Amino acid sequence: MKSIQIEDDLYHFIASQTQDIGESASDILRRLVMPESLLNTDNKSVSEKVTPDSTVTNPISNTQSADSICQSAAVFSELEGQQLQAIPKIVERWLLVLSIIHKHNTQQFAKVLGMSGRNRTYFATDKDTLLGTGSSTNPKNVPGSDYWVITNNNTAKKINMLKEVAEQVGFKSAEIQQLIEIFAPEHIE
């Protein structure tokens, strides 16, 4: 096996193309740059599955655009470079994680607008909408986005909201658990 050095932006792009947990950089690059005819049948790309009738299929449907695929790998890659535990205020840490999820899942992030509790709307595209849903919502802008979120919740509620956001944009359950462990390891039971 050979090693190569690549710049950070290229690394983040490659990581954002991950389709399965544990997929190696070699598998991703092979899938992206090597024509099907060059792929060895013993070394199939992780994105391909052999069905019982021995035909090769792609698990991503043709109707699904690349922009609609959850970019959880890119989120985790960017979170690796952050020192989340060095951010003492949970609300600031939470806003940073929401910002990174939004950055890599812009189209899917719109689904959070449907999130609400009994009496409160959790996300909106303007501050006034959230102020209108309660007297102590303390709305803050999700950095780098047009979205606002209520922040006057305890840490347990923020964790639950983060789980729901991750689910809305398409994270798998194992990825959601990993995200929570990164966000607030001191609050994991």
Side-chain angles (χ1 to χ4, degrees):
M1 183 170 298
K2 305 282 185 202
S3 295
I4 60 171
Q5 290 185 342
I6 58 173
E7 294 173 1
D8 289 340
D9 61 330
L10 183 56
Y11 171 80
H12 290 296
F13 172 77
I14 293 168
S16 74
Q17 301 303 308
T18 303
Q19 291 181 352
D20 295 305
I21 295 174
E23 186 176 24
S24 72
S26 291
D27 290 335
I28 296 166
L29 286 170
R30 186 175 290 111
R31 178 172 32 82
L32 294 174
V33 301
M34 292 182 72
E36 294 288 322
S37 62
L38 296 178
L39 287 176
N40 181 337
T41 56
D42 296 329
N43 195 14
K44 290 208 180 295
S45 169
V46 173
S47 68
E48 298 173 340
K49 295 179 184 173
V50 178
T51 59
D53 64 354
S54 297
T55 60
V56 176
T57 59
N58 188 336
I60 299 174
S61 76
N62 293 334
T63 59
Q64 211 177 18
S65 74
D67 291 335
S68 69
I69 299 169
C70 177
Q71 300 296 326
S72 57
V75 170
F76 288 121
S77 178
E78 188 164 340
L79 284 172
E80 280 178 17
Q82 303 293 327
Q83 297 294 328
L84 289 183
Q85 302 317 309
I87 301 172
K89 292 186 177 180
I90 285 286
V91 70
E92 291 174 7
R93 195 185 304 176
W94 186 58
L95 288 169
L96 176 61
V97 172
L98 289 173
S99 174
I100 292 170
I101 292 172
H102 170 269
K103 177 181 173 183
H104 295 288
N105 297 281
T106 307
Q107 287 183 337
Q108 301 94 308
F109 201 84
K111 295 176 185 176
V112 304
L113 293 175
M115 290 175 53
S116 63
R118 286 189 311 262
N119 302 318
R120 289 181 170 181
T121 299
Y122 296 152
F123 287 87
T125 54
D126 64 274
K127 182 178 185 176
D128 293 331
T129 299
L130 296 178
L131 287 171
T133 65
S135 60
S136 60
T137 56
N138 195 21
K140 295 211 184 289
N141 176 253
V142 175
S145 79
D146 295 329
Y147 295 92
W148 289 76
V149 62
I150 62 171
T151 61
N152 194 18
N153 297 313
N154 62 28
T155 300
K157 183 62 177 174
K158 285 179 177 67
I159 289 171
N160 286 332
M161 288 173 67
L162 185 57
K163 286 178 181 178
E164 189 172 348
V165 167
E167 186 177 292
Q168 292 288 331
V169 300
F171 279 56
K172 297 175 178 121
S173 56
E175 294 169 329
I176 293 170
Q177 186 60 36
Q178 182 182 359
L179 182 67
I180 299 308
E181 289 169 5
I182 291 169
F183 166 65
E186 65 274 22
H187 294 281
I188 303 298
E189 298 152 3

